[in-house]
Amino acid sequence: MQGKCGLFFTSYQGEARIFQSGFQKIMIGLLVAGLLAAPFGLGSYLVSIMNLIFIAVIGAVSLNLLTGVCGQISLGHGAFIGVGAFAAGQCTLHGVPFPLAILTGGLITAMVGMVFGVPSLRLKGIYLAIATLAAQLVLEYTFLHGGELTGGSNGLLLNPPEILGFAFDSETRMYYLLFVFACLSLLMVSNIMRSKYGRAFVSIRDFYLSAEIVGVNLFWYKIIAFGVSSFLAGVAGGLWGHYTGYISGEQFNIGLSITYLAMVVIGGLGSVIGSVFGAVFLTLLPEVLNVLANGLSGWFPAINQVVGAIQHGVFGLVLILFLIYEPEGLAHRWRLIKAYWKLYPFAH
Amino acid sequence: MRVGKIITAACTMLLAGLMLFGCGGEEQKSAETKKADTTPIQVGGLVDMSGPTSSVGVPYAQGLKAGVQYVNANGGIDGRMIEFNLQDTAYNVQQGLSLYKKMVNAGAVCIQGYGSAVTEALVRNLAKDKVPDLSASYSAHLTDPKTAPYNFFVAADYSTQARAAIKYFKDNWTEARAPKIAFIYPDHPYGLAPIKGAKAYAEELGFEIVGDANVSLKAIDATTELLPLKDLAPDFCWIGGTTPSTSVILKSAKNIGMETTFFTNIWGSDENLPKLAGEDANGAFSNQAAAVYGQDVPGMKAIMELTNNEPQMTHFTRGFVSVLVMTEGLKRAAAKGGITGESLKDALETLRDFDPMGLAPAISYFPDDHRPNMAVFLYTIKDGKLTFVKEQILERRADWLGH
C-alpha cells in the first residue's frame, strides 16, 4: 500500500484504516466543517446545486461499487433509482416515518436489483449491459402502468421529508439531510471495499476465473454487489423524490442511467473519491455552461437558447476526451496532484 | 503528458470559477417588487429548445418572445417592462430544476414553462416559492389547485380537448347505429393522460369503443398496429401523438386502406402535418387552442406585424397567448397593490372570459378550478391547410376537474 513517508503500521487493522494519518483526518475534518458551514455563505441557488450533487454522489458511488469495483456493467441504474423513489414515496404517503421509508425504499430496490442481477452469473460485458438495459425498459413500463402504486402517467406528489416533526422544507434543511446521507453512503462503500466482500468484488472484476479458483462464490458475490448497489440507488431515488416533491416514470429513463455511468467513468472506475469527482463534475457541467453562456450573451444574444444543445455536445466531447486521455478518470488526476505535492520540489 | 496538464488546468479553472461564483454571496432572494417601481418585471422561460420536443418547443418559445416584445412595445405593465429570461431545459428535469431555482433567486415572479417532465417536477417548488407557472403541458391533473395551486395554462387540458372532439362527432352523427371509436396513442405519460377520461365520455355519449393501439412517438411505420384496428372498422380514431407520429399513422392507414375519420390532439397536428403526410393528411381533424397564422381574428394583425408577415406555426400563437394572459394577470396584480408571485396567482384567478384578442378561446380561472376554458378550436386539413371548423364548447363539469 502506498503510504506517506514516515508512516508505519504496526498492525493490519492500522493499515486498513480509512484515514491513516493525522494530516488526512485534519483535512477531512476541515472539509466537513467547510461543507457544514457552506449554506451560510452560499445563495439558495448554489445550495440547491449542492443538493443535486449530494444525490448524484450517492447514485454514482452505488454504481461505482457495482461497475467499477465488481466489474458488473449496468445500464439500468436510472430505473433502480426510480424504484427507490416510488417505493420510498409510497411509504411516506402511507404514513411511514421518513428514515424508515428511505430504508424500505432501499431494501425494495435491493431486491429488485438482485432479481435483475441473476443473469450476471451467465452474462458478462456487453451481454450483461443489454440484460440490464432490459431491466431499465421493464421498470420504465412498470412505472408508467403501475396504477395507484406509481400514479401512472400522472406520477406521485410527495411531501418534504419530516423527521420527528421537523420538516426539511427548505433548501438549507435539505442540504444537511442530503449531506448526512451522502457521507453515510461514502463511508458505507469505503468500508465495503475494505472488507472481505470488497476484495471478492475486485477479484471478480479483475479475473473471474482466478476468483472462483481461490474460493470466491461468483454468483453470491455478484448478487450481493447488485443488492448493495441497488440499495444505495434506492436511497438516492427516495431522497430525489422527496427533494423535488414529484416523481414520474419519465424522470428515470435511460438518459439518467447513461449519465450515472458517465459520472463513474469520468470520476474513475473503482474509486470512491472518483465517484464524488464524477458527480460534482457532471452536475456542475451544465451550470458552468450556463454561467459561460450568460457571460457571452452580451456578444451573442441568442446563446442562452442553445445552451441545452451545446451541453449535449460538450457532454459527449468530455466523455470521449476522458476515455482517450484520462481513462482512469479524475481520481487518477487527483492521485497525480497529491503525488506532485508529496514529492515537491523533487519531482523525481 | 501535455494533455494531462491541460486537463489539470481545466479542472483547476473549473474549481476556481466555482469558488468565484460562490463568493458572490447571497443572491437577490425576494420575488416581490415594490409598488410604483419602474424596475423591469422578471419572468423566466423554461422551454425545451434542443431536446426531444424541440421541434414544437422552438416555435412556442418564439411566440413567447414575440408576446413579450408586443407587451413591452405597448407600454409594458403600467410602464414597467417585462424582462424575459428564456432558457433551454433540453427536456431535462435536473436542468429545468436548477434553471428554475436560479430564476426565482433572480426575482422571477412568473415562469413561462413548456414540457411535461419539467413542469410536473416543479409543481411542489412553485407552490413553496409562490411562483405561478403558465406552461404548455396540458395534463388535466395540473388544473386542480388542490394539488397544483400555482400551475396554469391557456389551452383546454388534453382530456377536455378529446372530449370536445368526441362531442362534436356525436352531434354530427346521423346514422341509427352507435358510432364506433378507437384510440391510438404512444405508451408515454403524455399519450396516456387523456385516454381514461376520453373513453369514459365516449361511452357516456353512446359510442362503442372498439379497440386501442400503441404507436410510439418515434415510429417509422404503424401498419402492424393498425391492421387489427382496420378489422374492427372504427368510424373515428383518436391519435394522441406528435406531428411526426401522426403522419406515420395517417400514411400507414392509407396504405392498408383504412376508412375512418382521424382526429388528433393539440401536439398531433400543425402546419407541418400536410408537409409530412402529404395528401394522406387531408380530412383529418385536429384540436387546437390557438388561431392559425393569417386567421381573421383581431390579434392576428399584431402577430403578422411582429413577424413581418412571415408565417408561423400555431404553437407560436399559443406562446403569444400565454404571455397575453400573464400580462393581464400582472396588470390586475399591479392595480391591486403590487406584483408578487402570490398576487399574480390571485389576479389570474379573477380572470373571467378574458379574450386574448380572439387568438384563443376566452379564458377564466377560479380559485378552486384552474381549467382555462372548456373550449377547443376544431380544424380539419383541407387541401393541405388547417381549416377552421368550429369552436366546440363543453360544460364545466365538476367531476372532470383534474381528470
Side-chain angles (χ1 to χ4, degrees):
Chain A
M1 184 176 281
Q2 191 182 17
K4 287 178 174 47
C5 184
L7 186 66
F8 299 104
F9 301 110
T10 54
S11 66
Y12 288 120
Q13 285 87 348
E15 195 181 3
R17 276 190 197 132
I18 297 182
F19 308 117
Q20 292 169 342
S21 69
F23 178 73
Q24 255 185 330
K25 286 177 190 165
I26 290 168
M27 293 314 285
I28 292 287
L30 285 176
L31 179 68
V32 170
L35 285 171
L36 285 173
F40 298 103
L42 302 174
S44 71
Y45 163 65
L46 288 175
V47 172
S48 75
I49 298 296
M50 290 298 289
N51 289 344
L52 293 176
I53 288 176
F54 289 142
I55 296 171
V57 162
I58 303 172
V61 81
S62 66
L63 182 62
N64 216 339
L65 183 71
L66 181 68
T67 303
V69 180
C70 195
Q72 308 301 299
I73 193 163
S74 172
L75 285 176
H77 211 65
F80 293 146
I81 288 173
V83 173
F86 282 109
Q90 276 297 345
C91 285
T92 49
L93 287 176
H94 285 86
V96 177
F98 177 74
L100 205 59
I102 290 289
L103 191 69
T104 313
L107 289 173
I108 290 172
T109 315
M111 284 192 280
V112 173
M114 284 158 94
V115 169
F116 285 108
V118 169
S120 66
L121 182 68
R122 301 266 173 160
L123 305 175
K124 291 173 195 70
I126 189 74
Y127 300 100
L128 184 60
I130 297 299
T132 50
L133 178 64
Q136 170 78 40
L137 300 177
V138 168
L139 289 172
E140 268 188 55
Y141 178 86
T142 313
F143 297 152
L144 194 53
H145 297 275
E148 295 290 309
L149 214 57
T150 61
S153 62
N154 287 350
L156 290 181
L157 278 168
L158 305 178
N159 290 319
E162 200 177 296
I163 299 176
L164 300 171
F166 184 82
F168 292 84
D169 54 1
S170 70
E171 289 292 342
T172 310
R173 289 178 179 187
M174 275 308 289
Y175 177 93
Y176 289 109
L177 182 74
L178 296 172
F179 177 65
V180 169
F181 272 99
C183 288
L184 288 175
S185 305
L186 292 175
L187 273 175
M188 183 177 160
V189 174
S190 298
N191 278 324
I192 289 171
M193 284 174 69
R194 296 185 307 144
S195 70
K196 179 179 95 172
Y197 283 87
R199 287 192 293 276
F201 292 161
V202 172
S203 68
I204 292 169
R205 177 195 66 190
D206 287 350
F207 192 40
Y208 69 97
L209 209 54
S210 303
E212 198 166 22
I213 288 166
V214 297
V216 172
N217 181 339
L218 291 188
F219 184 64
W220 170 250
Y221 282 102
K222 280 180 179 178
I223 289 293
I224 289 292
F226 267 97
V228 176
S229 168
S230 304
F231 172 81
L232 285 175
V235 169
L239 292 169
W240 165 259
H242 287 87
Y243 173 57
T244 58
Y246 175 83
I247 42 173
S248 81
E250 259 190 298
Q251 297 170 9
F252 309 106
N253 54 20
I254 181 72
L256 187 67
S257 297
I258 302 280
T259 305
Y260 274 105
L261 208 53
M263 280 182 196
V264 173
V265 170
I266 287 174
L269 284 164
S271 157
V272 173
I273 192 81
S275 312
V276 179
F277 288 147
V280 172
F281 189 89
L282 276 191
T283 312
L284 286 184
L285 186 66
E287 307 306 324
V288 171
L289 284 175
N290 281 332
V291 171
L292 286 176
N294 285 336
L296 292 172
S297 60
W299 293 282
F300 309 102
I303 197 162
N304 277 340
Q305 291 154 37
V306 291
V307 169
I310 294 171
Q311 191 190 316
H312 283 123
V314 171
F315 177 80
L317 187 69
V318 164
L319 205 57
I320 291 168
L321 289 177
F322 265 92
L323 289 172
I324 296 172
Y325 297 112
E326 196 64 278
E328 291 179 58
L330 288 167
H332 177 64
R333 188 58 38 191
W334 175 241
R335 279 194 292 272
L336 292 181
I337 292 168
K338 281 200 298 185
Y340 175 82
W341 285 109
K342 197 159 73 179
L343 300 171
Y344 187 83
F346 307 109
H348 301 288
Chain B
M1 195 59 211
R2 259 177 69 190
V3 176
K5 281 181 182 170
I6 291 167
I7 291 175
T8 309
C11 294
T12 314
M13 278 173 70
L14 183 75
L15 197 66
L18 183 70
M19 285 170 75
L20 282 172
F21 187 42
C23 289
E26 195 72 28
E27 288 164 71
Q28 191 188 335
K29 213 171 180 177
S30 169
E32 297 187 9
T33 45
K34 286 176 188 170
K35 195 184 174 186
D37 199 345
T38 51
T39 52
I41 298 165
Q42 303 288 332
V43 173
L46 293 172
V47 183
D48 172 19
M49 291 180 279
S50 64
T53 59
S54 56
S55 59
V56 282
V58 171
Y60 188 80
Q62 283 166 347
L64 291 174
K65 281 201 290 184
V68 171
Q69 199 185 336
Y70 173 77
V71 172
N72 285 344
N74 286 282
I77 317 295
D78 297 338
R80 293 178 65 188
M81 298 296 116
I82 294 174
E83 198 167 283
F84 187 44
N85 179 14
L86 178 64
Q87 300 274 354
D88 178 12
T89 63
Y91 210 79
N92 180 311
V93 170
Q94 188 163 314
Q95 171 85 343
L97 207 60
S98 97
L99 285 170
Y100 162 80
K101 303 265 182 194
K102 209 170 177 179
M103 286 168 180
V104 171
N105 271 311
V109 292
C110 182
I111 299 291
Q112 287 286 347
Y114 172 75
S116 311
V118 175
T119 301
E120 295 185 346
L122 288 177
V123 168
R124 281 286 157 103
N125 287 284
L126 297 166
K128 198 165 69 183
D129 300 328
K130 298 190 185 334
V131 176
D133 182 359
L134 278 90
S135 82
S137 169
Y138 308 125
S139 288
H141 68 276
L142 294 174
T143 59
D144 187 354
K146 284 201 282 294
T147 52
Y150 278 79
N151 284 81
F152 296 86
F153 45 69
V154 300
D157 59 78
Y158 297 133
S159 311
T160 301
Q161 289 174 32
R163 287 187 189 113
I166 289 168
K167 174 88 167 67
Y168 171 80
F169 292 130
K170 177 65 182 169
D171 290 348
N172 290 281
W173 183 252
T174 49
E175 291 184 41
R177 66 177 175 85
K180 291 194 276 186
I181 190 167
F183 292 84
I184 307 169
Y185 48 90
D187 199 24
H188 184 275
Y190 150 71
L192 290 170
I195 299 302
K196 200 176 157 192
K199 280 186 177 174
Y201 189 56
E203 268 183 353
E204 192 182 314
L205 292 185
F207 278 83
E208 183 192 345
I209 299 168
V210 293
D212 295 66
N214 276 150
V215 177
S216 161
L217 293 175
K218 296 166 189 163
I220 50 170
D221 182 70
T223 312
T224 318
E225 292 87 351
L226 293 184
L227 276 171
L229 279 191
K230 188 193 169 195
D231 296 338
L232 298 165
D235 301 296
F236 303 99
C237 270
W238 158 258
I239 303 177
T242 54
T243 311
S245 68
T246 302
S247 79
V248 166
I249 291 166
L250 295 178
K251 283 194 275 190
S252 297
K254 194 79 174 175
N255 283 343
I256 61 172
M258 196 171 168
E259 291 291 330
T260 185
T261 301
F262 286 103
F263 63 114
T264 71
N265 77 343
I266 199 160
W267 300 112
S269 290
D270 57 31
E271 290 80 353
N272 279 338
L273 186 64
K275 292 178 197 163
L276 292 169
E279 286 190 359
D280 299 345
N282 285 336
F285 280 78
S286 81
N287 297 338
Q288 296 295 339
V292 296
Y293 198 82
Q295 197 171 325
D296 186 18
V297 290
M300 193 51 71
K301 197 179 160 213
I303 290 183
M304 291 172 87
E305 272 173 19
L306 278 166
T307 56
N308 297 322
N309 292 322
E310 188 75 35
Q312 304 292 328
M313 292 168 84
T314 178
H315 313 298
F316 178 100
T317 312
R318 208 144 14 88
F320 192 87
V321 169
S322 187
V323 173
L324 292 184
V325 172
M326 177 189 73
T327 303
E328 180 63 21
L330 289 171
K331 282 181 179 168
R332 290 185 186 207
K336 271 203 163 182
I339 294 172
T340 64
E342 200 172 3
S343 71
L344 174 60
K345 172 194 179 272
D346 294 341
L348 286 171
E349 286 171 351
T350 65
L351 289 189
R352 298 289 178 271
D353 290 328
F354 168 70
D355 176 18
M357 303 197 293
L359 293 166
I363 286 162
S364 309
Y365 300 112
F366 302 89
D368 57 351
D369 183 351
H370 283 186
R371 283 176 291 184
N373 49 51
M374 301 300 288
V376 171
F377 288 159
L378 285 168
Y379 285 81
T380 187
I381 297 174
K382 260 188 203 166
D383 303 326
K385 283 189 177 165
L386 284 170
T387 312
F388 183 74
V389 177
K390 190 188 177 186
E391 181 182 352
Q392 180 70 48
I393 301 173
L394 298 174
E395 57 176 317
R396 194 179 274 268
R397 269 169 53 171
D399 61 321
W400 284 344
L401 177 63
H403 302 286

